Amino acid sequence: MTSIILIVNFGSRHCDKIIFLLNKFKHIKKKIVDWEDFDKLLSIPNNFSNVIGIILSGSPAHLYDDHCPTVSRKIFDLGIPILGICYGMQYIVKMFGGKVSKMIQGGEFGKYEITLLTKESKLFYGLDTKLNVYMKHYDMVSDVHKKFKVLGSTESCIAIIEYENDETNEFIYGLQFHPEVIDNQLSSDLELGFIIFENFINICLCQKIKNEKWFKNTTEIIIKINCMQHKDE
């Protein structure tokens, strides 16, 4: 069965750019779903059996406003790697009890430099510690749940968060910047976007393989137990 990367669109104009960067992976299906429809999909049993990763898009909306785009917190119970971009990162932070607020100085727009605080992150494998990224946001993350690591910041706000747990198979990432936005087709922008999305795909595929092995091993154990019980009878 074909593996799927699901893009939850919170109202972004850049979902097609995400698809463009993901098209390198021909064997994986890319599907965009509007945030209003996501919870309906979530309510259907086994509807996410082929989904190996979820990307949460940006949005012009604000999480502190009434009726802002959001989806069920059950998305984090699926055991599927999640990557939040801009508003998507802010949504993750809010769902885990962190703080999202309006930037006093009016936001960040254009190119900014971020220094990675670690080279151990799977999402940034193969990249330098200094990243030139594209920002476009009025709001900021000012505090995160203790389970998350802050991997990078600008002078004004938290820019990268992650939670990686191999034991519980939880991989959640948040980027305040837009890796999908390419500034005048600069090769450096293309490289950054390709590498980040390629690393995310690899994380998703590794999780799929691990889960399939676990299912296979568990099924074999159950079969053996049933055979032993029948033999005793």
Side-chain angles (χ1 to χ4, degrees), residues 116-133:
L116 287 175
L117 301 180
T118 177
K119 295 196 75 172
E120 301 301 317
S121 172
K122 295 179 176 67
L123 190 65
F124 294 94
Y125 176 79
L127 289 169
D128 294 332
T129 54
K130 299 245 182 235
L131 304 176
N132 288 304
V133 302

Side-chain angles (χ1 to χ4, degrees), residues 45-211:
N46 302 317
N47 203 31
F48 286 77
S49 57
N50 293 342
V51 178
I52 63 170
I54 297 174
I55 297 174
L56 307 175
S57 83
S59 174
H62 309 280
L63 275 161
Y64 45 77
D65 287 344
D66 294 335
H67 310 298
C68 62
T70 188
V71 295
S72 170
R73 199 187 184 287
K74 291 180 181 179
I75 189 174
F76 300 108
D77 299 330
L78 294 171
I80 298 171
I82 295 174
L83 171 62
I85 297 172
C86 197
Y87 182 93
M89 166 177 151
Q90 295 167 7
Y91 159 79
I92 291 171
V93 168
K94 186 175 180 180
M95 290 300 102
F96 282 92
K99 295 181 181 178
V100 177
S101 57
K102 188 174 183 178
M103 295 187 73
I104 297 173
Q105 64 272 42
E108 292 178 321
F109 300 90
K111 292 295 239 179
Y112 285 79
E113 184 177 277
I114 297 172
T115 300
L116 287 175
L117 301 180
T118 177
K119 295 196 75 172
E120 301 301 317
S121 172
K122 295 179 176 67
L123 190 65
F124 294 94
Y125 176 79
L127 289 169
D128 294 332
T129 54
K130 299 245 182 235
L131 304 176
N132 288 304
V133 302
Y134 180 79
M135 293 281 201
K136 188 180 180 182
H137 63 104
Y138 288 99
D139 303 328
M140 69 175 186
V141 169
S142 54
D143 190 29
V144 297
H145 188 278
K146 62 183 180 180
K147 76 189 292 180
F148 286 94
K149 292 180 182 178
V150 175
L151 298 190
S153 303
T154 65
E155 293 182 359
S156 304
C157 70
I158 295 170
I160 306 170
I161 62 169
E162 75 165 20
Y163 177 60
E164 293 182 333
N165 191 324
D166 288 296
E167 293 183 1
T168 59
N169 293 329
E170 292 179 273
F171 296 89
I172 306 173
Y173 305 92
L175 309 176
Q176 186 58 70
F177 62 92
H178 288 270
E180 78 279 19
V181 175
I182 300 166
D183 184 12
N184 296 323
Q185 299 296 314
L186 290 176
S187 60
S188 58
D189 285 351
L190 277 168
E191 181 182 15
L192 176 66
F194 275 129
I195 291 176
I196 287 176
F197 284 114
E198 181 176 31
N199 287 341
F200 182 66
I201 293 290
N202 287 335
I203 292 165
C204 296
L205 291 172
C206 285
Q207 285 306 108
K208 179 188 177 187
I209 292 169
K210 283 173 64 177
N211 291 337

